[in-house]
Amino acid sequence: MRELRQFVEVASRHSISAAAKHLNISQPALSRAIQKLEQSYGAPLFVRNGAGMELSPYGSALYSRAVQIIPALDEVREEIEQLQGRAKAAIRIAAGDYWGHIVLPDVTRRFCEARRNVLVHLDIADEGKRLEGLRNGVYDIVFGTMSSRYGLVMDVQFEPMSRQSTYVYCDKTHPLAGRKASNEEFMALRWINPGYDDDSGSGRLARQARDFAIRADTTMNALLLLRGSGLVLSASSGFMQLFAAFGITRIDIEDPGEATDSGAIHARNALNRPNVRDYLNLARDHASALADERKV
């Protein structure tokens, strides 16, 4: 079972080194585990090329079953442990940076205070991992923007709960802090990529090629790198209050683009579980309260 989980991690990340880092094991140990699994099935599970680790036809067959088997076995284990009084019920949530850092911390604390017999798993993950986890039953709900990718692989429901714009942020000492950037000034900016697509954003941010100086793995890491620097960062308008506490403000740009909706995405049968419904209700209420605060 452990080797199967490791195989799924490598397949999802297309990289032995990235999977080993995530699993907190050494790269040679993970390579040996994959080799052992390949020997047990008598077939190569990966094709190793310049782009990384790609599934072979045999690996694809195993992967399609493994991503169904692992969550099912986890549920059975949890159910047995709950019946034995050795474990709590659990719900699994994944979110993008805005939801994970701004909205859901208060939601999760309130939920845990009211539901002492439920364990909440909360992951902050990129869209690819959220989509894959929802499709494979790893997550009960994911929070973020709704893309067409979800509808291509499964039947989901999307409930918009928040509407956010994309802002350009800088340190308060930056020459452009608090004012509008001209075309020449915008072209000269150097950017931090906060862990997602280089072209993320709308309006001018999507059309204009940008000079990225740093690629961070999370928005919070990017925030720390931004402090006291001459770099800039594009991120959700929902971060403005948090960023201000770190001395980070915004730059106005021409054509910032339209605001986008984000919220809860889940399988249609997810709301059959009372704990999932209760968590979703708290998230809805808190997102609405945050929107009301910004209007004041």
Side-chain angles (χ1 to χ4, degrees):
M1 186 65 176
R2 180 179 61 186
E3 287 83 4
L4 198 59
R5 292 181 188 276
Q6 293 169 339
F7 160 75
V8 168
E9 194 64 37
V10 173
S12 299
R13 296 178 181 273
H14 307 284
S15 166
I16 286 280
S17 59
K21 181 179 179 181
H22 180 75
L23 294 167
N24 197 29
I25 61 175
S26 71
Q27 187 171 334
L30 183 55
S31 295
R32 288 193 297 271
I34 296 300
Q35 290 170 2
K36 181 179 177 181
L37 199 61
E38 289 179 323
Q39 290 169 1
S40 70
Y41 284 101
L45 301 176
F46 291 97
V47 176
R48 295 158 177 83
N49 55 38
M53 304 283 286
E54 300 295 334
L55 288 169
S56 70
Y58 313 107
S60 294
L62 178 60
Y63 182 81
S64 65
R65 299 295 188 276
V67 293
Q68 299 174 27
I69 292 169
I70 292 173
L73 290 178
D74 287 342
E75 283 191 23
V76 170
R77 178 181 293 277
E78 284 183 7
E79 186 174 346
I80 290 173
E81 290 178 347
Q82 290 165 26
L83 290 172
Q84 293 175 330
R86 295 190 295 115
K88 298 179 178 181
I91 62 170
R92 293 177 171 82
I93 312 295
D97 281 322
Y98 167 68
W99 281 88
H101 291 301
I102 303 299
V103 183
L104 296 185
D106 282 343
V107 172
T108 303
R109 283 193 292 268
R110 290 168 58 193
F111 181 87
C112 291
E113 289 170 359
R115 301 286 185 276
R116 293 180 176 273
N117 62 332
V118 182
L119 177 65
V120 179
H121 297 265
L122 176 58
D123 292 339
I124 297 177
D126 61 30
E127 185 188 61
K129 185 174 181 180
R130 298 197 304 267
L131 170 61
E132 190 71 10
L134 190 65
R135 182 173 73 89
N136 297 328
V138 174
Y139 299 125
D140 299 301
I141 316 172
V142 302
F143 291 88
T145 56
M146 176 67 173
S147 75
S148 59
R149 297 173 63 193
Y150 286 91
L152 294 175
V153 298
M154 64 183 300
D155 184 19
V156 297
Q157 289 184 313
F158 172 55
E159 181 182 345
M161 296 182 181
S162 180
R163 191 164 179 80
Q164 302 294 318
S165 300
T166 300
Y167 284 174
V168 176
Y169 293 97
C170 66
D171 188 81
K172 62 183 179 181
T173 62
H174 194 286
L176 296 179
R179 68 180 184 87
K180 182 170 287 186
S182 68
N183 183 62
E184 293 76 15
E185 289 170 327
F186 185 88
M187 291 286 290
L189 293 173
R190 301 199 72 204
W191 299 76
I192 298 175
N193 180 297
Y196 44 79
D197 221 16
D198 285 355
D199 293 329
S200 83
S202 57
R204 183 169 187 178
L205 290 173
R207 298 192 308 269
Q208 183 73 55
R210 286 178 272 167
D211 177 11
F212 285 92
I214 300 174
R215 182 183 297 276
D217 57 355
T218 67
T219 296
M220 294 305 292
N221 189 19
L223 166 63
L224 298 177
L225 291 167
L226 189 61
R227 297 177 68 188
S229 79
L231 303 172
V232 297
L233 165 75
S234 62
S236 166
S237 56
F239 283 109
M240 192 166 184
Q241 184 175 356
L242 173 65
F243 282 11
F246 288 83
I248 303 300
T249 187
R250 61 177 291 200
I251 299 172
D252 288 334
I253 63 172
E254 294 179 4
D255 187 18
E258 297 182 357
T260 57
D261 290 324
S262 65
I265 308 168
H266 54 80
R268 294 189 178 275
N269 62 355
L271 299 186
N272 294 338
R273 297 176 58 192
N275 288 325
V276 174
R277 287 200 307 271
D278 291 345
Y279 191 94
L280 195 60
N281 288 336
L282 288 173
R284 184 185 302 115
D285 292 345
H286 191 54
S288 178
L290 287 176
D292 290 342
E293 287 178 8
R294 295 189 185 106
K295 293 176 184 177
V296 176

